Amino acid sequence: MKALIRNLALGGLLALGAGAASAGVTVKYIEPDKFSDLPFAPWEREDVLRELTDYFTKLGKSLPQGQDLALEVTDIDLAGREYPNSRAARDLRVLKGMADWPIITLRYTLTENGQVLKSGDAKLADMSYLQRINRHWDSEPLRYEKRMIDEWFAKTIVQKRPG
């Protein structure tokens, strides 16, 4: 039974790693099993990758008609540190605001009607993630990573200036 559950979870991760496409956004996770910091449990890892894919897809809906964004995520280090928790079904993630800030490393290509508008490598990081105002609710998963993605997307992809 454990082998079946492990294989199903691994299959889900591989499906996510193969990429997800919607509304002009394609997200691929390059060797997610080697990422710096994802949850220990396979189903939790899958939840994190699905949440990030859904969020990139949501942001991509704001792109003008005909534009497509391809993302290759090469590393993820979530905010805080995860500690095994024997009393609960999920491990415990502790946020201290020290050397545990979120980091996402990715490559991106923005195209319009097949022509490359911009592309590059990006390392998203937020060293002061606990000291800044966040528009995402406290109960929202990955709220610090999402704020970091929001800022990168606005500055790099749609080129909005903070205001």
Side-chain angles (χ1 to χ4, degrees):
M1 185 67 171
K2 286 183 181 178
L4 175 64
I5 292 171
R6 185 181 67 237
N7 289 339
L8 287 173
L10 181 60
L13 276 176
L14 291 175
L16 283 171
S22 176
V25 175
T26 304
V27 181
K28 291 183 182 178
Y29 296 96
I30 310 301
E31 298 186 81
D33 54 324
K34 295 182 180 178
F35 285 177
S36 297
D37 177 30
L38 284 178
F40 298 125
W43 60 89
E44 289 181 48
R45 292 173 71 91
E46 187 176 330
D47 286 348
V48 166
L49 297 179
R50 184 180 308 110
E51 184 77 24
L52 288 173
T53 298
D54 291 348
Y55 197 69
F56 280 120
T57 301
K58 177 183 171 186
L59 289 176
K61 291 179 181 180
S62 68
L63 292 172
Q65 186 73 20
Q67 286 190 2
D68 296 306
L69 178 63
L71 298 165
E72 291 183 342
V73 179
T74 56
D75 195 22
I76 297 173
D77 188 347
L78 298 175
R81 291 291 168 252
E82 189 170 62
Y83 297 95
N85 186 0
S86 61
R87 295 184 183 189
R90 292 183 166 247
D91 292 327
L92 185 63
R93 183 160 291 275
V94 177
L95 308 172
K96 293 184 179 179
M98 299 173 80
D100 61 352
W101 58 84
I103 301 170
I104 298 176
T105 308
L106 54 83
R107 290 185 291 267
Y108 65 93
T109 303
L110 180 65
T111 59
E112 185 169 22
N113 301 320
Q115 299 244 32
V116 175
L117 298 177
K118 63 176 80 171
S119 66
D121 296 329
K123 184 173 184 176
L124 290 56
D126 186 358
M127 293 174 69
S128 59
Y129 73 99
L130 285 178
Q131 284 80 41
R132 299 177 54 218
I133 295 173
N134 196 338
R135 70 176 186 84
H136 298 281
W137 296 101
D138 286 348
S139 60
E140 189 169 343
L142 306 173
R143 66 186 175 277
Y144 301 111
E145 292 78 6
K146 289 177 181 177
R147 179 184 60 209
M148 188 172 68
I149 291 167
D150 287 340
E151 291 171 354
W152 169 80
F153 190 84
K155 180 180 169 189
T156 306
I157 302 303
V158 294
Q159 295 183 319
K160 287 184 183 172
R161 298 287 175 221

